Amino acid sequence: MRHIESTIQKNCIAWFRLAYPEYRLLLFSVPNGGRRDKVTASILKAEGAVAGVSDTILLLPRHGYASLCIEFKTPTGRQSESQKAWQKAVEGNGSKYAVVHSFDEFRNEIETYLS
C-alpha cells in the first residue's frame, strides 16, 4: 500500500518544525484514522474521539481565527461526509479550516495564516 497522504503530511510537519521552531509544539496531529479493532475503537470513542476531525491542528490564534485545522489529502483525495461536517462545525466556531493536497498548498496555508 502506498501511503501518499501520510508522506505529504510527514514532509509538511518536518518543514514546519524547521521553519517555525517557536511553534513546533502548537502544531500536532490527531490520530483518528487507521485500522483498529472493535475494542480499541470503542475505547477511543468513549474517550472523546470524533469522526472527521482534521489531520492536524495549529493552536495559534491569528487574523481573528482561534486555530488552523488542516486536512491532508492525496492529489485526487476528497473529504468524507464526517470531515465536511466537522469542517462546518469548526468554521462556525471561529477556526480556519484548510484542505491541502501537496506540500506547496500546506506551505501557502501556513505562511498566509502566520503572516
Side-chain angles (χ1 to χ4, degrees):
M1 172 181 251
R2 296 173 20 185
H3 299 281
I4 297 169
E5 188 177 305
S6 175
T7 300
I8 294 168
Q9 184 172 339
K10 288 187 287 187
N11 290 337
C12 291
I13 297 301
W15 169 81
F16 179 88
R17 289 182 174 159
L18 289 171
Y20 300 98
E22 68 275 27
Y23 302 136
R24 69 182 319 272
L25 297 178
L26 300 178
L27 177 66
F28 57 91
S29 69
V30 179
N32 258 7
R35 297 177 190 235
R36 294 180 171 51
D37 61 69
K38 288 182 181 182
V39 172
T40 302
S42 178
I43 290 169
L44 291 173
K45 187 173 182 180
E47 289 177 347
V50 175
V53 173
S54 63
D55 292 316
T56 61
I57 299 173
L58 177 58
L59 284 180
L60 187 65
R62 286 288 188 276
H63 309 290
Y65 294 110
S67 64
L68 173 60
C69 305
I70 299 175
E71 179 64 33
F72 289 89
K73 292 293 178 193
T74 64
T76 58
R78 296 176 184 248
Q79 290 176 285
S80 67
E81 290 306 313
S82 63
Q83 289 169 336
K84 290 176 185 178
W86 197 80
Q87 175 183 358
K88 184 176 179 181
V90 298
E91 286 178 335
N93 284 283
S95 288
K96 180 168 175 43
Y97 184 100
V99 178
V100 300
H101 299 87
S102 68
F103 169 76
D104 290 334
E105 288 181 11
F106 174 82
R107 184 182 62 213
N108 182 59
E109 287 292 339
I110 292 293
E111 289 176 345
T112 300
Y113 188 78
L114 294 178
S115 68

